[in-house]
């Protein structure tokens, strides 16, 4: 990761960036030298949100940058726009900076680029960490977010199940975690039938990645991430528009690895486990079929309603394994349903849990760190939508309603012993760039979860 934050108090010259709201602009420029005041007025700068204006001295040298905050400041990561707008150089924030640590994080997150397949942009737009910010924390969080983004942005030809395994091994090595991987037909032998069934049609073998870190007797937190490296829909093939972005269907895996990276870098006093069923949902003569009945790891028989609902199947076996050791907190993250986007759009992932106190806490941490999440209900009445006439459960509802809820209800059937279970149905992608959130792969929910976990288990 390109670290663009300069430690507070280190020497060097910086161009001040003066943050100003629309309402304060007139008052602020009153104190400026006439040449700068006139420049502001003649260029029509109004301090609209995200607007910048370079101010010269008498010789034409840029001596400060005005940065507009707009009128209502509802975009709390607005400072994340600056690294994409300013020329390379060193800057410091002055004026109205209400949330300095979030501003520093937004700046770092806004400097992200994905350059694996082209020449990197070498310009460094650096920021002196504003006073009162924990630069170490900002760096660890950004590192986790960048890892998640990189993994999602990588095209599926270079991010298959084995590549995802390699990424997990690399992270594991960096933090002295242990890792075991069960791949191919060994999945059948070790009783992960659903992971095997979903992944078996691909020439790139399915696998279950199992990473452990921390002291065995510390509180157990287990993260499970959907690692569908490409989702064609299987025999229930997706149409082109629906398939176009499906390299991101391992977004849950990318996010749990990002979250694990932050937790391990901060050395939180927890026993962490990360489980990633990594598969490719392909079309082939060996593909699982609609109407098949498969026995899951847990023993429940599952009737396949649609091979495009593959995520919940691979998660079911991983959740059953996770649940067996009764973790204190079991978190799963998945790009699980299109229905979640219909309900809440791409920027606001729903989460589901039976634990009301946990839900309240997660919602308030999400707001605090501007990593929005919204609780949706595990509505018990909709459980009947998953009834099968020939198996213990159907894995989808036959109707068009409540698709994200029924997916969550299906997952919940495989969790009985974890103290708290939360499921996040994420999008994992920013369709249109926003400050601090470049277009492309995105981490969603991990900053909120980290805030909660680090408060509950302080290092
Ligand atoms: N990976 C998709 C869900 C998805 C699609 C997430 C687009 C984000 C953006 C998942 O595997 C899927 O295809 N789900 C189906 C389920 C349906 C067949 C019950 C869906 O949501 O349409
Ligand atoms: Mn699918
Ligand atoms: Zn999928």
């Amino acid at each position: 990761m390109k670290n663009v934050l300069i430690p507070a108090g280190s020497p060097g010259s910086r161009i001040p960036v003066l943050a100003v709201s629309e309402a304060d602009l007139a008052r602020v420029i009153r104190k400026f030298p006439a040449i700068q005041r006139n420049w502001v007025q003649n260029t029509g700068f109004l301090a609209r949100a995200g607007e910048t204006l370079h101010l010269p001295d008498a010789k034409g040298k840029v001596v400060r940058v005005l940065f507009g905050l707009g009128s209502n400041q509802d975009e709390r990561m607005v400072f994340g726009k600056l690294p994409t707008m300013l020329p390379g150089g060193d800057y410091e924030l002055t004026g109205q900076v209400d949330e300095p640590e979030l501003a520093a994080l937004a700046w770092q997150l806004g400097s992200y680029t994905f350059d694996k397949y082209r020449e990197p942009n070498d310009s460094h737009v650096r920021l002196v960490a504003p006073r009162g910010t924990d630069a170490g924390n900002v760096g660890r969080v950004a590192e986790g977010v960048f890892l998640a983004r990189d993994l999602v942005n990588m095209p599926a030809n270079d991010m298959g199940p084995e590549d995802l395994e390699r990424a997990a091994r690399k992270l594991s090595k960096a933090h002295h975690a242990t890792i075991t991987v069960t791949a191919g037909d060994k999945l059948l032998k070790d009783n992960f039938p659903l992971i095997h069934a979903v992944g078996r049609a691909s020439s790139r073998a399915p696998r279950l990645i199992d990473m452990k870190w921390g002291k065995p007797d510390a509180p157990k937190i287990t993260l499970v991430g959907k690692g569908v490296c490409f989702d064609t829909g299987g025999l229930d093939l997706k149409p082109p528009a629906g398939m176009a972005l499906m390299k991101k269907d391992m977004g849950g895996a990318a996010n749990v690895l990002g979250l694990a990276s932050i937790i391990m870098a901060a050395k939180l006093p927890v026993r962490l486990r990360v489980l990633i069923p990594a598969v490719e949902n392909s079309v082939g003569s060996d593909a699982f079929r609609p109407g098949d009945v498969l026995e899951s790891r847990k023993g429940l028989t599952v009737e396949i309603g649609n091979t495009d609902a593959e995520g919940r199947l691979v998660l079911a076996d991983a959740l059953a394994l996770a649940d067996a050791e009764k973790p204190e907190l079991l978190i799963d993250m998945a790009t699980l349903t299109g229905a979640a986007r219909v309900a809440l759009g791409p920027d606001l992932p729903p989460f589901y849990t039976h634990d009301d106190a946990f839900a309240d806490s997660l919602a308030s941490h999400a707001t605090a760190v501007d990593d929005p999440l919204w609780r949706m209900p595990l509505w018990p009445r909709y459980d009947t939508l998953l009834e099968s006439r020939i198996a213990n459960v159907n894995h989808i509802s036959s109707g068009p309603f409540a698709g994200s809820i029924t997916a969550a209800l299906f997952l919940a059937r495989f969790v009985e012993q974890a103290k708290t279970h939360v499921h996040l149905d994420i999008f994992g992608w920013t369709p249109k760039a926003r400050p601090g959130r470049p277009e492309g792969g995105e981490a969603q929910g991990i900053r909120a979860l980290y805030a909660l976990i680090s408060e509950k288990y302080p290092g």
Side-chain angles (χ1 to χ4, degrees):
M1 181 181 87
K2 180 159 94 181
N3 184 0
V4 294
L5 293 181
I6 308 167
S10 56
S13 75
R14 280 92 200 213
I15 301 171
V17 175
L18 177 56
V20 57
S21 67
E22 281 176 27
D24 284 349
L25 180 64
R27 184 180 57 77
V28 166
I29 66 173
R30 217 174 290 142
K31 298 175 214 132
F32 285 8
I35 184 171
Q36 293 184 8
R37 195 166 58 238
N38 292 338
W39 187 252
V40 174
Q41 279 157 355
N42 295 337
T43 54
F45 179 83
L46 293 172
R48 296 247 157 83
E51 201 182 352
T52 59
L53 184 68
H54 291 78
L55 293 178
D57 64 9
K59 296 203 182 96
K61 182 171 170 256
V62 173
V63 285
R64 76 171 129 219
V65 176
L66 275 184
F67 183 58
L69 297 173
S71 57
N72 54 6
Q73 271 122 70
D74 58 350
E75 180 58 87
R76 290 162 59 202
M77 300 249 271
V78 67
F79 292 98
K81 201 169 172 197
L82 283 161
T84 65
M85 300 179 76
L86 297 174
D90 291 355
Y91 299 87
E92 68 186 338
L93 293 180
T94 62
Q96 187 186 333
V97 184
D98 294 338
E99 298 181 280
E101 188 153 325
L102 192 61
L105 179 66
W107 187 295
Q108 177 69 55
L109 295 182
S111 74
Y112 175 87
T113 54
F114 182 66
D115 299 320
K116 293 267 176 339
Y117 298 92
R118 59 174 188 194
E119 309 68 45
N121 170 0
D122 279 330
S123 95
H124 286 242
V125 185
R126 306 198 303 170
L127 174 71
V128 179
R131 275 183 206 291
T133 64
D134 179 345
N137 184 54
V138 171
R140 289 187 293 271
V141 169
E143 190 100 42
V145 170
F146 281 27
L147 173 61
R149 288 177 178 174
D150 277 347
L151 293 173
V152 174
N153 284 329
M154 200 72 92
N157 58 310
D158 284 333
M159 189 44 69
E162 193 180 342
D163 304 290
L164 193 51
E165 172 185 336
R166 201 169 302 121
R169 285 192 187 279
K170 188 172 165 206
L171 180 69
S172 176
K173 197 165 172 207
H175 297 282
H176 309 287
T178 59
I179 187 163
T180 57
V181 175
T182 310
D185 288 343
K186 184 100 192 321
L187 286 167
L188 288 177
K189 202 168 147 262
D190 290 357
N191 193 23
F192 298 103
L194 296 182
I195 299 173
H196 183 269
V198 171
R200 74 189 184 206
S202 172
S203 60
R204 304 198 285 182
R207 62 205 65 213
L208 177 65
I209 301 163
D210 185 350
M211 182 174 128
K212 284 187 183 140
W213 175 89
K215 294 205 175 63
D217 54 348
K220 288 184 170 50
I221 298 182
T222 299
L223 314 178
V224 178
K226 171 176 171 181
V228 175
C229 293
F230 194 75
D231 183 10
T232 66
L235 293 178
D236 288 313
L237 196 66
K238 285 182 183 294
M243 205 189 297
L245 256 183
M246 281 300 120
K247 69 170 184 181
K248 78 173 175 72
D249 214 18
M250 32 59 74
N255 271 270
V256 297
L257 288 173
L259 177 55
S261 157
I262 307 171
I263 291 173
M264 295 188 294
K267 299 193 165 59
L268 293 189
V270 298
R271 198 301 314 257
L272 187 67
R273 185 179 197 185
V274 180
L275 291 169
I276 296 173
V279 303
E280 182 166 7
N281 188 21
S282 291
V283 179
S285 58
D286 193 28
F288 75 123
R289 313 159 193 83
D292 281 358
V293 175
L294 305 172
E295 185 165 343
S296 66
R297 175 179 188 81
K298 195 184 161 79
L300 288 175
T301 54
V302 180
E303 182 179 3
I304 302 305
N306 184 317
T307 61
D308 197 9
E310 81 299 334
R312 63 195 77 184
L313 296 172
V314 299
L315 289 172
D317 276 356
L319 285 170
L321 175 68
D323 192 55
E325 63 168 11
K326 305 185 177 67
E328 182 150 323
L329 178 57
L330 174 54
I331 300 170
D332 80 73
M333 304 185 76
T335 50
L336 203 60
T337 69
R341 252 43 57 192
V342 175
L344 298 178
D347 302 341
L348 183 59
F351 72 91
Y352 298 85
T353 179
H354 286 300
D355 184 335
D356 293 337
F358 181 89
D360 290 347
S361 175
L362 183 56
S364 70
H365 282 289
T367 303
V369 299
D370 197 27
D371 186 15
L373 293 171
W374 201 261
R375 188 184 191 187
M376 298 230 292
L378 284 158
W379 195 250
R381 290 275 167 86
Y382 293 163
D383 236 354
T384 56
L385 296 173
L386 296 173
E387 276 166 11
S388 160
R389 252 187 269 153
I390 60 171
N392 296 134
V393 62
N394 197 312
H395 86 308
I396 60 166
S397 153
S398 54
F401 301 129
S404 178
I405 296 177
T406 50
L409 287 169
F410 177 81
L411 296 181
R413 299 218 181 183
F414 297 85
V415 178
E416 286 173 325
Q417 310 191 72
K419 187 158 166 279
T420 297
H421 170 217
V422 60
H423 157 61
L424 284 79
D425 192 341
I426 62 171
F427 193 57
W429 192 264
T430 298
K432 187 170 174 293
R434 287 169 47 213
R437 295 168 166 103
E439 181 181 328
E442 190 55 290
Q444 290 185 310
I446 66 175
R447 293 189 295 110
L449 286 163
Y450 177 71
L452 182 154
I453 292 167
S454 60
E455 183 188 82
K456 194 158 177 211
Y457 309 100

